Amino acid sequence: MFVEKKLGDDTTGHDLNHIKRVEKLAVTIAEEEQMSEAEITVIRAAVLLHDVIDEKLTDDVAVAKQEVLEVLQQSGATEEEIAIIRDTIENMSYSKNLKEKYALTKVGKIVQDADRLDAIGAIGIARTFYYGGSKGHAMYDDSQPFDPEKMDETAYRTSTNVVNHFYEKLLRLESLMNTEAGKKLARKRTLFMEAFLKQLELEIKGEK
């Protein structure tokens, strides 16, 4: 399987289990949005492929995009379906939408919501520290406070303070959800993260 070959050995939190969770979330949202079975099939395909071209996970994005195109063509997908899938996976990332929100298709919005939901809540906390550890980042660093005024794609990509990532991205995702189902699920997960961060701050300070 193409995706298994690409991400089967991932140790950054973008593994096959991540894809399975996002797929379940995407289907749940799609059903609530009354998407057709054909549209859900396209959604599933986009979920499967969305991390293959991620610049964090591949050494050559252009080659990865070409491989994805070839896989889709070989699968028998129509030109319209391929266009929707490519548009989704190439433009759904948080970093690509820092300056201006990209107008995704309805399929793209659902995949984006599902992927973002897996970045927050309990699993999001676990993945955040797991990814940071895999890259040798500091768990927290008081000498690198979060500065929203300096947040652009470069600053976002070069940040090495794991706790800052909650303020750079994760706590903001609820307000960026596209669907009503996504917003409801994000509210619960965001509350969990906020409680975690309060407790973490207490423990870092050594308070009882």
Side-chain angles (χ1 to χ4, degrees):
M1 181 181 176
F2 174 71
V3 177
E4 186 174 0
K5 180 181 178 181
K6 292 293 183 180
L7 302 174
D9 297 325
D10 178 80
T11 57
T12 71
H14 299 83
D15 55 6
L16 298 179
N17 284 326
H18 162 65
I19 291 172
K20 290 175 183 177
R21 291 191 303 269
V22 175
E23 182 180 16
K24 288 179 182 178
L25 287 165
V27 171
T28 296
I29 295 171
E31 290 174 345
E32 290 203 26
E33 294 290 317
Q34 298 184 325
M35 302 292 277
S36 69
E37 285 300 317
E39 289 170 318
I40 290 176
T41 297
V42 176
I43 286 169
R44 288 181 188 273
V47 169
L48 282 171
L49 296 167
H50 78 279
D51 276 334
V52 172
I53 66 168
D54 191 322
E55 61 187 30
K56 299 190 302 296
L57 309 174
T58 181
D59 295 327
D60 193 324
V61 174
V63 169
K65 287 181 179 180
Q66 181 60 34
E67 290 176 338
V68 165
L69 175 59
E70 291 171 2
V71 166
L72 288 171
Q73 290 172 335
Q74 292 166 9
S75 74
T78 66
E79 289 187 10
E80 181 181 4
E81 290 169 339
I82 291 173
I84 291 171
I85 292 167
R86 294 181 73 193
D87 181 70
T88 298
I89 66 176
E90 291 179 14
N91 296 291
M92 63 181 274
S93 73
Y94 183 75
S95 61
K96 290 287 180 65
N97 289 265
L98 275 171
K99 289 187 177 180
E100 185 176 351
K101 186 176 177 64
Y102 182 83
L104 291 167
T105 64
K106 186 64 177 289
V107 165
K109 289 177 179 179
I110 290 172
V111 176
Q112 185 182 64
D113 276 9
D115 188 46
R116 288 178 170 181
L117 283 167
D118 201 58
I120 60 178
I123 197 70
I125 292 170
R127 289 182 66 214
T128 298
F129 285 98
Y130 188 61
Y131 178 83
S134 75
K135 299 298 182 180
H137 295 171
M139 187 164 67
Y140 63 92
D141 184 349
D142 292 337
S143 70
Q144 297 180 34
F146 170 62
D147 186 350
E149 297 299 321
K150 296 180 180 179
M151 186 46 52
D152 57 18
E153 186 170 353
T154 299
Y156 175 73
R157 286 297 188 197
T158 57
S159 175
T160 59
N161 184 345
V162 175
V163 168
N164 275 5
H165 189 61
F166 289 91
Y167 302 97
E168 293 163 352
K169 175 182 178 181
L170 307 187
L171 293 173
R172 300 182 61 200
L173 292 183
E174 178 188 0
S175 67
L176 300 175
M177 288 291 156
N178 302 297
T179 63
E180 289 305 312
K183 292 173 185 177
K184 290 177 183 177
L185 291 167
R187 176 86 289 251
K188 181 178 180 180
R189 295 186 182 211
T190 300
L191 288 172
F192 186 89
M193 289 192 301
E194 290 172 343
F196 166 79
L197 289 169
K198 288 179 182 178
Q199 182 63 26
L200 180 65
E201 183 178 7
L202 289 174
E203 294 181 13
I204 287 173
K205 292 179 178 178
E207 298 180 15
K208 296 182 180 179

